[in-house]
Amino acid sequence: MMHGTIDVSQAAAEELEKARTSPHGRSARALLHDGHLRHTLLAILDGEVLGDHLKPPAATLHVLSGTFVVRSDGPDLRLDAGQLAVLPGPRHDVTADGDSTGILTTLAD
């Protein structure tokens, strides 16, 4: 279990820099976890895609900067900076509209 306080703004800036050097234009790192609850910092560059994948049993995305577009079987979900939403399932993909960062919170098995 990780404990402590995290400077989320600083961590997001660092993760964006890592994404800029990644051949896939994205980067992620675990911020905190407690039991089954996981918080992961995502950074995805403009136009890059986190491809189709299964949604965990529960998942939310809180957008820190930029915009994420989540595509699933239903209508697209557009999330701008400051917005928080439950991610659709059972499968979805995520595209960044502008260099974007967010905190993905999941409930893992």
Side-chain angles (χ1 to χ4, degrees):
M1 178 183 334
M2 294 185 228
H3 294 283
T5 303
I6 296 171
D7 183 328
V8 174
S9 296
Q10 179 180 341
E14 291 168 1
E15 220 54 37
L16 266 179
E17 284 306 310
K18 288 180 186 176
R20 288 185 178 109
T21 62
S22 166
H24 303 292
R26 61 183 187 266
S27 184
R29 77 173 190 202
L31 286 180
L32 294 172
H33 68 269
D34 181 18
H36 295 289
L37 189 63
R38 305 279 190 265
H39 299 282
T40 303
L41 178 62
L42 304 175
I44 304 177
L45 300 183
D46 183 36
E48 297 294 332
V49 178
L50 181 57
D52 183 60
H53 58 277
L54 287 172
K55 176 190 168 194
T60 63
L61 180 60
H62 178 190
V63 181
L64 302 173
S65 65
T67 299
F68 289 108
V69 178
V70 183
R71 291 179 181 85
S72 65
D73 289 340
D76 290 355
L77 175 62
R78 183 179 178 87
L79 297 171
D80 296 312
Q83 292 185 311
L84 170 70
V86 172
L87 292 175
R91 303 187 68 83
H92 58 252
D93 70 37
V94 180
T95 303
D97 187 357
D99 292 353
S100 303
T101 61
I103 296 176
L104 173 66
T105 301
T106 60
L107 184 62
D109 292 331

XYZ file of all heavy atoms in Angstrom:
803
model
N 0.849 -1.179 0.000
C 0.000 0.000 0.000
C 0.891 1.238 0.000
O 1.793 1.354 0.802
C -0.907 -0.021 1.227
C -1.771 1.177 1.341
S -2.834 1.271 2.815
C -3.091 -0.400 3.288
N 0.644 2.177 -0.892
C 1.377 3.438 -0.922
C 0.678 4.436 -0.021
O -0.540 4.481 0.040
C 1.417 3.991 -2.343
C 2.191 3.181 -3.303
S 2.246 4.039 -4.876
C 1.809 2.726 -5.977
N 1.466 5.231 0.681
C 0.924 6.275 1.542
C 1.611 7.589 1.210
O 2.627 7.625 0.551
C 1.176 5.947 3.024
C 0.447 4.740 3.492
N -0.889 4.749 3.787
C 0.870 3.475 3.701
C -1.259 3.552 4.174
N -0.210 2.756 4.126
N 1.068 8.675 1.717
C 1.715 9.964 1.544
C 0.882 10.906 0.706
O -0.217 10.594 0.270
N 1.470 12.051 0.477
C 0.837 13.105 -0.298
C 1.572 13.244 -1.621
O 2.792 13.171 -1.668
C 0.909 14.441 0.472
O 0.286 14.254 1.736
C 0.221 15.540 -0.282
N 0.824 13.468 -2.675
C 1.394 13.596 -4.010
C 1.048 14.961 -4.569
O -0.099 15.403 -4.479
C 0.838 12.501 -4.934
C 1.288 11.141 -4.423
C 1.272 12.720 -6.369
C 0.624 9.995 -5.116
N 2.025 15.624 -5.152
C 1.784 16.867 -5.873
C 1.308 16.461 -7.269
O 2.117 16.129 -8.141
C 3.067 17.705 -5.948
C 2.849 19.039 -6.629
O 1.991 19.136 -7.539
O 3.557 19.993 -6.265
N 0.008 16.448 -7.472
C -0.574 15.944 -8.711
C -0.172 16.816 -9.900
O 0.117 16.290 -10.981
C -2.112 15.821 -8.587
C -2.739 15.436 -9.912
C -2.475 14.805 -7.509
N -0.106 18.123 -9.729
C 0.282 19.008 -10.839
C 1.692 18.699 -11.308
O 1.957 18.620 -12.513
C 0.184 20.473 -10.419
O -1.151 20.809 -10.138
N 2.599 18.514 -10.378
C 3.981 18.193 -10.728
C 4.067 16.818 -11.384
O 4.737 16.647 -12.396
C 4.879 18.228 -9.493
C 6.327 17.874 -9.797
C 7.208 17.908 -8.563
O 6.872 18.511 -7.555
N 8.344 17.258 -8.653
N 3.365 15.851 -10.817
C 3.370 14.499 -11.382
C 2.811 14.501 -12.801
O 3.335 13.815 -13.683
C 2.579 13.556 -10.482
N 1.751 15.269 -13.040
C 1.148 15.341 -14.374
C 2.124 15.959 -15.377
O 2.236 15.472 -16.515
C -0.152 16.127 -14.323
N 2.831 17.006 -14.971
C 3.822 17.632 -15.859
C 4.939 16.643 -16.199
O 5.374 16.553 -17.361
C 4.392 18.889 -15.201
N 5.380 15.888 -15.205
C 6.425 14.887 -15.439
C 5.933 13.795 -16.383
O 6.671 13.351 -17.274
C 6.866 14.265 -14.112
C 7.617 15.222 -13.211
C 7.804 14.692 -11.796
O 7.373 13.548 -11.488
O 8.398 15.427 -10.974
N 4.704 13.365 -16.206
C 4.166 12.294 -17.046
C 3.974 12.764 -18.480
O 4.191 12.000 -19.419
C 2.864 11.764 -16.447
C 2.710 10.284 -16.528
C 3.862 9.488 -15.946
O 4.456 9.865 -14.934
O 4.178 8.434 -16.535
N 3.587 14.034 -18.669
C 3.486 14.574 -20.031
C 4.849 14.578 -20.707
O 4.954 14.271 -21.905
C 2.913 15.994 -20.010
C 1.416 16.127 -20.208
C 0.999 17.592 -20.140
C 0.939 15.502 -21.504
N 5.892 14.912 -19.975
C 7.244 14.887 -20.547
C 7.624 13.472 -20.957
O 8.230 13.266 -22.010
C 8.265 15.465 -19.561
C 8.222 16.969 -19.472
C 8.357 17.648 -20.826
O 9.284 17.320 -21.602
O 7.509 18.520 -21.136
N 7.279 12.491 -20.149
C 7.556 11.094 -20.501
C 6.779 10.706 -21.759
O 7.297 9.998 -22.625
C 7.187 10.160 -19.353
C 8.124 10.244 -18.173
C 7.688 9.276 -17.086
C 8.502 9.438 -15.830
N 8.000 8.550 -14.747
N 5.530 11.152 -21.861
C 4.720 10.847 -23.043
C 5.356 11.442 -24.300
O 5.318 10.821 -25.370
C 3.295 11.371 -22.861
N 5.956 12.612 -24.172
C 6.575 13.273 -25.332
C 7.787 12.506 -25.846
O 8.158 12.646 -27.006
C 6.950 14.710 -24.971
C 5.736 15.601 -24.836
C 6.085 17.068 -24.592
N 4.868 17.838 -24.516
C 4.367 18.377 -23.396
N 5.018 18.233 -22.252
N 3.241 19.046 -23.419
N 8.406 11.702 -25.012
C 9.555 10.905 -25.448
C 9.175 9.463 -25.759
O 10.000 8.696 -26.218
C 10.678 10.927 -24.385
O 10.187 10.336 -23.179
C 11.156 12.349 -24.112
N 7.922 9.113 -25.521
C 7.460 7.757 -25.784
C 7.096 7.598 -27.259
O 6.453 8.476 -27.833
C 6.223 7.462 -24.927
O 5.574 6.296 -25.389
N 7.461 6.474 -27.864
C 7.074 6.271 -29.269
C 5.560 6.143 -29.454
O 5.062 6.334 -30.555
C 7.786 4.962 -29.652
C 8.114 4.287 -28.369
C 8.251 5.369 -27.336
N 4.841 5.861 -28.379
C 3.383 5.723 -28.459
C 2.646 7.003 -28.070
O 1.422 7.049 -28.132
C 2.911 4.579 -27.564
C 3.564 3.281 -27.897
N 3.323 2.606 -29.067
C 4.487 2.550 -27.234
C 4.054 1.514 -29.107
N 4.771 1.453 -28.009
N 3.378 8.028 -27.611
C 2.745 9.296 -27.268
C 1.890 9.245 -26.024
O 0.958 10.027 -25.877
N 2.212 8.319 -25.141
C 1.454 8.241 -23.896
C 2.340 7.674 -22.792
O 3.349 7.036 -23.053
C 0.191 7.414 -24.064
C 0.415 5.994 -24.461
C -0.916 5.268 -24.684
N -0.702 3.863 -24.897
C -0.578 3.279 -26.070
N -0.653 3.999 -27.174
N -0.392 1.979 -26.154
N 1.896 7.912 -21.560
C 2.616 7.409 -20.402
C 1.633 7.298 -19.247
O 0.626 8.009 -19.207
C 3.765 8.360 -20.041
O 4.523 7.841 -18.971
N 1.917 6.407 -18.315
C 1.049 6.229 -17.149
C 1.889 5.745 -15.979
O 2.910 5.087 -16.170
C -0.055 5.227 -17.447
N 1.430 6.106 -14.787
C 2.090 5.582 -13.590
C 1.087 5.509 -12.443
O 0.151 6.305 -12.366
C 3.293 6.412 -13.204
C 2.984 7.706 -12.516
C 4.270 8.356 -12.038
N 3.995 9.470 -11.173
C 4.830 10.450 -10.954
N 5.998 10.466 -11.535
N 4.509 11.420 -10.147
N 1.317 4.541 -11.586
C 0.481 4.392 -10.399
C 0.771 5.544 -9.452
O 1.929 5.857 -9.184
C 0.764 3.063 -9.717
N -0.283 6.188 -8.976
C -0.132 7.249 -7.983
C -0.332 6.704 -6.578
O 0.507 6.887 -5.714
C -1.138 8.372 -8.222
C -0.897 9.294 -9.392
C -2.010 10.341 -9.467
C 0.453 9.971 -9.274
N -1.480 6.086 -6.366
C -1.837 5.553 -5.052
C -2.630 4.276 -5.230
O -3.324 4.113 -6.228
C -2.724 6.537 -4.274
C -2.134 7.858 -3.838
C -3.246 8.741 -3.273
C -1.061 7.658 -2.801
N -2.534 3.407 -4.244
C -3.466 2.291 -4.196
C -3.731 1.941 -2.738
O -2.902 2.157 -1.867
C -2.974 1.081 -4.993
C -1.780 0.386 -4.424
N -0.505 0.715 -4.773
C -1.684 -0.625 -3.534
C 0.339 -0.072 -4.131
N -0.340 -0.897 -3.360
N -4.932 1.457 -2.518
C -5.369 1.067 -1.185
C -6.313 -0.116 -1.353
O -7.431 0.050 -1.837
C -6.067 2.237 -0.487
C -6.515 1.896 0.927
O -6.010 0.907 1.499
O -7.374 2.614 1.455
N -5.850 -1.297 -1.006
C -6.665 -2.481 -1.225
C -6.947 -2.649 -2.705
O -6.035 -2.709 -3.513
N -8.224 -2.668 -3.064
C -8.610 -2.841 -4.468
C -8.712 -1.526 -5.232
O -8.930 -1.530 -6.443
C -9.947 -3.576 -4.556
C -9.886 -4.969 -4.036
N -9.239 -5.982 -4.692
C -10.377 -5.520 -2.904
C -9.333 -7.093 -4.000
N -10.026 -6.847 -2.894
N -8.566 -0.395 -4.541
C -8.708 0.923 -5.170
C -7.359 1.373 -5.735
O -6.352 1.388 -5.026
C -9.209 1.931 -4.137
C -9.609 3.304 -4.640
C -10.795 3.196 -5.609
C -9.971 4.191 -3.457
N -7.365 1.737 -7.030
C -6.136 2.167 -7.717
C -6.346 3.537 -8.349
O -7.354 3.768 -9.011
C -5.771 1.190 -8.832
C -5.640 -0.251 -8.414
C -4.280 -0.501 -7.783
N -4.036 -1.920 -7.573
C -4.270 -2.554 -6.423
N -4.801 -1.914 -5.419
N -3.981 -3.823 -6.297
N -5.355 4.414 -8.197
C -5.343 5.719 -8.868
C -4.127 5.739 -9.788
O -2.997 5.606 -9.319
C -5.234 6.871 -7.870
C -6.374 6.937 -6.905
N -7.600 7.454 -7.243
C -6.471 6.539 -5.622
C -8.404 7.382 -6.191
N -7.744 6.827 -5.205
N -4.376 5.915 -11.084
C -3.309 5.912 -12.079
C -3.330 7.239 -12.829
O -4.388 7.680 -13.291
C -3.511 4.750 -13.077
O -3.566 3.521 -12.343
C -2.377 4.701 -14.087
N -2.160 7.857 -12.946
C -2.025 9.107 -13.692
C -1.754 8.772 -15.152
O -0.818 8.024 -15.457
C -0.883 9.933 -13.114
C -0.586 11.251 -13.804
C -1.776 12.192 -13.721
C 0.636 11.894 -13.194
N -2.585 9.305 -16.049
C -2.436 9.096 -17.484
C -2.008 10.388 -18.159
O -2.496 11.462 -17.809
C -3.765 8.685 -18.115
C -4.492 7.460 -17.586
C -5.837 7.330 -18.289
C -3.650 6.230 -17.798
N -1.118 10.273 -19.130
C -0.756 11.397 -19.997
C -0.773 10.875 -21.429
O -0.100 9.883 -21.745
C 0.622 11.935 -19.646
N -1.570 11.508 -22.271
C -1.680 11.095 -23.671
C -1.570 12.351 -24.527
O -2.248 13.351 -24.272
C -3.018 10.369 -23.943
C -3.185 9.165 -23.001
C -3.086 9.922 -25.399
C -4.509 8.434 -23.151
N -0.709 12.297 -25.533
C -0.506 13.449 -26.406
C -1.640 13.593 -27.417
O -2.345 12.633 -27.732
C 0.833 13.322 -27.131
C 2.065 13.238 -26.241
C 3.329 13.181 -27.097
C 2.134 14.394 -25.253
N -1.795 14.803 -27.923
C -2.849 15.150 -28.868
C -2.955 14.135 -30.009
O -1.966 13.851 -30.685
C -2.562 16.538 -29.442
C -3.646 17.011 -30.389
O -4.832 16.710 -30.142
O -3.309 17.691 -31.371
N -4.148 13.576 -30.180
C -4.414 12.663 -31.280
C -4.029 11.216 -31.032
O -4.380 10.343 -31.821
N -3.307 10.956 -29.960
C -2.904 9.577 -29.653
C -4.066 8.823 -29.019
O -4.952 9.418 -28.409
C -1.684 9.551 -28.745
C -0.448 10.167 -29.378
C 0.067 9.380 -30.577
O -0.136 8.146 -30.651
O 0.685 10.004 -31.460
N -4.027 7.505 -29.149
C -5.137 6.663 -28.720
C -4.647 5.590 -27.755
O -3.605 4.977 -27.981
C -5.798 5.974 -29.935
C -6.927 5.054 -29.510
C -6.298 7.015 -30.926
N -5.399 5.410 -26.693
C -5.243 4.246 -25.832
C -6.269 3.266 -26.375
O -7.475 3.442 -26.191
C -5.515 4.610 -24.377
C -5.376 3.514 -23.341
C -3.983 2.900 -23.380
C -5.650 4.082 -21.959
N -5.814 2.272 -27.118
C -6.674 1.400 -27.903
C -7.735 0.659 -27.118
O -7.763 0.657 -25.885
N -8.595 0.013 -27.854
C -9.732 -0.725 -27.317
C -9.275 -1.690 -26.223
O -8.343 -2.463 -26.420
C -10.403 -1.492 -28.458
C -11.634 -2.232 -28.014
O -12.572 -1.581 -27.524
O -11.645 -3.466 -28.159
N -9.945 -1.617 -25.081
C -9.612 -2.483 -23.949
C -10.842 -2.683 -23.070
O -11.797 -1.925 -23.138
C -8.438 -1.910 -23.145
C -8.689 -0.534 -22.619
N -8.511 0.601 -23.384
C -9.120 -0.099 -21.406
C -8.822 1.670 -22.669
N -9.197 1.270 -21.464
N -10.776 -3.726 -22.251
C -11.859 -4.008 -21.309
C -11.832 -3.022 -20.160
O -10.758 -2.635 -19.687
C -11.723 -5.422 -20.744
C -12.051 -6.560 -21.680
C -11.671 -7.893 -21.039
C -13.525 -6.550 -22.037
N -13.011 -2.637 -19.710
C -13.130 -1.777 -18.539
C -13.004 -2.651 -17.290
O -13.576 -3.739 -17.231
C -14.491 -1.081 -18.555
C -14.743 -0.237 -17.332
C -16.190 0.221 -17.287
C -16.466 0.791 -15.910
N -17.869 0.965 -15.660
N -12.263 -2.180 -16.274
C -12.241 -2.902 -14.996
C -13.646 -2.922 -14.380
O -14.547 -2.231 -14.855
C -11.287 -2.070 -14.128
C -10.518 -1.225 -15.077
C -11.406 -1.012 -16.273
N -13.838 -3.678 -13.304
C -15.167 -3.755 -12.677
C -15.780 -2.388 -12.364
O -16.987 -2.223 -12.425
C -14.914 -4.550 -11.401
C -13.701 -5.363 -11.697
C -12.864 -4.531 -12.627
N -14.957 -1.419 -12.035
C -15.418 -0.039 -11.814
C -14.282 0.892 -12.221
O -13.117 0.611 -11.936
C -15.786 0.187 -10.350
N -14.617 1.995 -12.910
C -13.576 2.920 -13.361
C -14.152 4.313 -13.568
O -15.220 4.473 -14.164
C -12.957 2.423 -14.663
N -13.421 5.313 -13.077
C -13.747 6.713 -13.330
C -12.515 7.406 -13.887
O -11.384 6.968 -13.670
C -14.207 7.455 -12.057
O -13.136 7.474 -11.106
C -15.444 6.816 -11.452
N -12.742 8.500 -14.604
C -11.644 9.318 -15.130
C -11.904 10.766 -14.745
O -12.967 11.308 -15.033
C -11.547 9.182 -16.656
C -10.437 9.980 -17.328
C -9.056 9.576 -16.802
C -10.504 9.800 -18.837
N -10.918 11.371 -14.075
C -10.952 12.786 -13.708
C -9.908 13.474 -14.583
O -8.709 13.206 -14.453
C -10.611 12.950 -12.229
C -10.566 14.368 -11.783
N -10.094 14.733 -10.562
C -10.927 15.526 -12.381
C -10.160 16.038 -10.415
N -10.663 16.534 -11.524
N -10.356 14.350 -15.470
C -9.464 15.012 -16.414
C -8.816 16.221 -15.735
O -9.504 17.097 -15.215
C -10.215 15.440 -17.691
C -9.264 16.102 -18.672
C -10.901 14.237 -18.326
N -7.493 16.232 -15.766
C -6.728 17.332 -15.165
C -6.437 18.430 -16.184
O -6.500 19.611 -15.863
C -5.412 16.801 -14.591
C -5.541 15.701 -13.545
C -4.160 15.149 -13.195
C -6.253 16.221 -12.313
N -6.085 18.028 -17.415
C -5.797 19.003 -18.473
C -6.147 18.389 -19.817
O -6.143 17.171 -19.981
C -4.314 19.407 -18.444
O -3.483 18.297 -18.757
N -6.473 19.242 -20.776
C -6.828 18.758 -22.100
C -8.219 18.150 -22.127
O -9.069 18.454 -21.290
N -8.418 17.244 -23.075
C -9.710 16.598 -23.279
C -9.479 15.148 -23.672
O -8.602 14.850 -24.485
C -10.491 17.296 -24.404
O -10.713 18.659 -24.029
C -11.818 16.634 -24.677
N -10.281 14.263 -23.103
C -10.281 12.861 -23.493
C -11.625 12.548 -24.139
O -12.668 12.974 -23.639
C -10.089 11.941 -22.287
C -8.702 11.962 -21.705
C -8.454 12.560 -20.484
C -7.649 11.362 -22.374
C -7.183 12.569 -19.938
C -6.366 11.369 -21.837
C -6.140 11.968 -20.618
N -11.585 11.788 -25.236
C -12.799 11.309 -25.881
C -12.814 9.797 -25.712
O -11.886 9.105 -26.148
C -12.857 11.697 -27.367
C -14.120 11.151 -28.024
C -12.770 13.213 -27.527
N -13.850 9.307 -25.052
C -13.983 7.880 -24.776
C -15.051 7.322 -25.703
O -16.180 7.818 -25.733
C -14.367 7.637 -23.293
C -14.420 6.140 -23.001
C -13.397 8.352 -22.352
N -14.668 6.294 -26.465
C -15.595 5.676 -27.411
C -15.910 4.258 -26.945
O -15.008 3.507 -26.581
C -14.976 5.633 -28.804
C -14.848 7.008 -29.415
C -14.207 6.966 -30.801
N -14.078 8.293 -31.325
C -13.052 9.118 -31.073
N -12.079 8.733 -30.273
N -13.019 10.321 -31.589
N -17.197 3.943 -26.967
C -17.665 2.602 -26.612
C -18.837 2.277 -27.519
O -19.004 2.900 -28.566
C -18.055 2.543 -25.134
O -19.168 3.379 -24.892
N -19.675 1.341 -27.102
C -20.848 0.987 -27.908
C -21.874 2.110 -27.973
O -22.655 2.181 -28.904
C -21.522 -0.266 -27.341
C -20.679 -1.514 -27.571
O -19.815 -1.494 -28.461
O -20.888 -2.493 -26.843
N -21.885 2.992 -26.971
C -22.847 4.093 -26.928
C -22.268 5.344 -27.550
O -21.261 5.300 -28.259
N -22.890 6.481 -27.281
C -22.375 7.744 -27.795
C -21.004 8.056 -27.205
O -20.681 7.623 -26.097
C -23.404 8.787 -27.338
C -24.412 8.074 -26.507
C -24.094 6.627 -26.495
N -20.189 8.804 -27.963
C -18.876 9.217 -27.459
C -19.045 10.031 -26.183
O -19.999 10.809 -26.051
C -18.135 10.061 -28.490
C -17.674 9.262 -29.698
O -17.842 8.016 -29.703
O -17.153 9.885 -30.640
N -18.117 9.858 -25.271
C -18.080 10.617 -24.025
C -16.893 11.560 -24.107
O -15.751 11.121 -24.185
C -17.931 9.655 -22.835
C -17.756 10.271 -21.456
C -18.988 11.097 -21.075
C -17.500 9.170 -20.431
N -17.159 12.874 -24.142
C -16.111 13.891 -24.228
C -15.937 14.494 -22.844
O -16.878 15.061 -22.285
C -16.491 14.963 -25.246
C -15.419 16.002 -25.449
C -15.837 17.021 -26.495
N -14.816 18.030 -26.650
C -13.770 17.938 -27.454
N -13.636 16.862 -28.212
N -12.879 18.897 -27.526
N -14.726 14.372 -22.302
C -14.429 14.874 -20.958
C -13.357 15.951 -21.036
O -12.247 15.697 -21.509
C -13.941 13.732 -20.061
C -14.936 12.607 -19.810
C -14.261 11.459 -19.093
C -16.094 13.145 -18.997
N -13.694 17.141 -20.570
C -12.764 18.267 -20.569
C -12.141 18.426 -19.188
O -12.624 17.866 -18.195
C -13.509 19.549 -20.953
C -14.052 19.496 -22.367
O -13.290 19.110 -23.288
O -15.237 19.824 -22.564
N -11.084 19.231 -19.127
C -10.382 19.483 -17.872
C -11.374 19.863 -16.776
O -12.289 20.654 -16.993
C -9.347 20.593 -18.054
N -11.218 19.219 -15.627
C -12.083 19.483 -14.486
C -13.272 18.555 -14.391
O -13.946 18.519 -13.364
N -13.536 17.782 -15.433
C -14.685 16.881 -15.409
C -14.290 15.492 -14.913
O -13.159 15.044 -15.101
C -15.321 16.777 -16.790
C -15.979 18.077 -17.227
C -16.703 17.934 -18.539
O -16.159 17.423 -19.514
N -17.947 18.399 -18.570
N -15.258 14.827 -14.295
C -15.102 13.482 -13.751
C -16.296 12.658 -14.212
O -17.436 13.135 -14.158
C -15.072 13.544 -12.220
C -15.160 12.244 -11.438
C -13.883 11.430 -11.615
C -15.395 12.551 -9.970
N -16.032 11.430 -14.677
C -17.137 10.587 -15.147
C -16.805 9.117 -14.947
O -15.638 8.725 -14.914
C -17.415 10.846 -16.623
N -17.872 8.330 -14.844
C -17.743 6.878 -14.874
C -17.467 6.493 -16.323
O -18.135 6.973 -17.245
C -19.041 6.208 -14.373
C -18.986 4.703 -14.590
C -19.276 6.544 -12.906
N -16.479 5.629 -16.530
C -16.155 5.203 -17.888
C -17.137 4.134 -18.354
O -17.538 3.267 -17.581
C -14.729 4.673 -17.944
C -13.661 5.737 -17.723
C -12.280 5.119 -17.674
C -13.726 6.802 -18.807
N -17.528 4.206 -19.633
C -18.465 3.224 -20.167
C -17.782 1.876 -20.394
O -16.564 1.798 -20.537
C -18.908 3.855 -21.488
C -17.759 4.712 -21.898
C -17.145 5.210 -20.623
N -18.566 0.866 -20.462
C -18.045 -0.475 -20.700
C -19.018 -1.256 -21.536
O -20.043 -0.720 -21.958
N -18.743 -2.472 -21.798
C -17.658 -3.243 -21.204
C -16.304 -3.004 -21.857
O -15.264 -3.318 -21.293
C -18.100 -4.691 -21.419
C -18.922 -4.653 -22.663
C -19.614 -3.303 -22.635
N -16.285 -2.419 -23.061
C -15.029 -2.083 -23.750
C -15.077 -0.617 -24.160
O -16.149 -0.077 -24.411
C -14.849 -2.946 -24.999
C -14.858 -4.444 -24.749
C -14.507 -5.217 -26.009
N -13.127 -5.002 -26.403
C -12.090 -5.668 -25.890
N -12.277 -6.575 -24.968
N -10.861 -5.416 -26.312
N -13.897 0.001 -24.273
C -13.828 1.370 -24.769
C -12.398 1.665 -25.223
O -11.483 0.896 -24.945
C -14.280 2.390 -23.714
C -13.494 2.348 -22.449
N -14.010 1.845 -21.283
C -12.234 2.736 -22.151
C -13.107 1.931 -20.323
N -12.015 2.459 -20.828
N -12.242 2.775 -25.945
C -10.913 3.305 -26.229
C -10.922 4.780 -25.867
O -11.983 5.371 -25.665
C -10.451 3.049 -27.668
C -11.203 3.847 -28.718
O -11.554 5.006 -28.478
O -11.437 3.305 -29.810
N -9.732 5.357 -25.742
C -9.601 6.744 -25.287
C -8.653 7.474 -26.225
O -7.551 6.983 -26.500
C -9.044 6.795 -23.842
C -8.909 8.232 -23.370
C -9.918 5.986 -22.891
N -9.081 8.653 -26.720
C -8.266 9.490 -27.582
C -8.081 10.844 -26.910
O -9.028 11.387 -26.330
C -8.945 9.703 -28.955
O -9.190 8.423 -29.551
C -8.092 10.547 -29.880
N -6.872 11.397 -27.003
C -6.614 12.724 -26.454
C -6.894 13.781 -27.513
O -6.483 13.655 -28.661
C -5.165 12.831 -25.993
N -7.596 14.823 -27.103
C -7.835 15.992 -27.939
C -7.030 17.110 -27.282
O -7.478 17.716 -26.312
C -9.326 16.312 -27.994
C -9.644 17.421 -28.977
O -8.709 17.983 -29.583
O -10.838 17.748 -29.119
N -5.826 17.334 -27.756
C -4.857 18.190 -27.071
C -4.067 17.309 -26.108
O -4.511 16.241 -25.719
N -2.857 17.738 -25.761
C -2.079 16.992 -24.775
C -2.893 16.956 -23.494
O -3.326 17.998 -22.996
C -0.726 17.656 -24.530
C 0.196 17.576 -25.745
O -0.146 16.898 -26.727
O 1.277 18.190 -25.693
N -3.133 15.762 -22.966
C -4.112 15.600 -21.888
C -3.573 14.740 -20.757
O -2.797 13.805 -20.985
C -5.379 14.946 -22.447
O -5.913 15.714 -23.507
N -4.020 15.066 -19.544
C -3.681 14.273 -18.376
C -4.950 14.009 -17.566
O -5.885 14.804 -17.601
C -2.634 14.969 -17.467
O -3.174 16.210 -17.007
C -1.323 15.205 -18.190
N -4.945 12.906 -16.851
C -6.089 12.586 -16.021
C -5.740 11.524 -14.995
O -4.706 10.856 -15.092
N -6.609 11.378 -14.025
C -6.457 10.329 -13.020
C -7.546 9.298 -13.244
O -8.738 9.604 -13.158
C -6.525 10.902 -11.601
C -5.357 11.858 -11.354
C -6.510 9.757 -10.570
C -5.387 12.537 -10.010
N -7.098 8.097 -13.558
C -7.975 6.948 -13.716
C -8.060 6.259 -12.358
O -7.040 5.886 -11.792
C -7.400 5.992 -14.757
C -8.108 4.663 -14.927
C -9.502 4.854 -15.494
C -7.282 3.732 -15.795
N -9.266 6.114 -11.850
C -9.484 5.401 -10.592
C -10.243 4.131 -10.894
O -11.283 4.164 -11.555
C -10.278 6.270 -9.592
O -9.546 7.478 -9.358
C -10.466 5.547 -8.278
N -9.681 3.003 -10.458
C -10.292 1.707 -10.752
C -10.434 0.888 -9.474
O -9.694 1.058 -8.519
C -9.464 0.904 -11.774
O -8.160 0.685 -11.242
C -9.383 1.616 -13.103
N -11.381 -0.006 -9.558
C -11.564 -1.006 -8.525
C -11.143 -2.318 -9.153
O -11.805 -2.819 -10.066
C -13.031 -1.066 -8.081
C -13.363 -2.006 -6.949
C -12.627 -1.610 -5.681
C -14.854 -2.013 -6.708
N -10.002 -2.821 -8.721
C -9.447 -4.033 -9.313
C -9.913 -5.256 -8.554
O -10.256 -5.177 -7.374
C -7.926 -3.952 -9.305
N -9.892 -6.381 -9.240
C -10.243 -7.647 -8.600
C -9.237 -8.011 -7.523
O -8.121 -7.716 -7.548
C -10.304 -8.768 -9.639
C -11.470 -8.571 -10.593
O -12.481 -7.984 -10.193
O -11.343 -9.006 -11.747
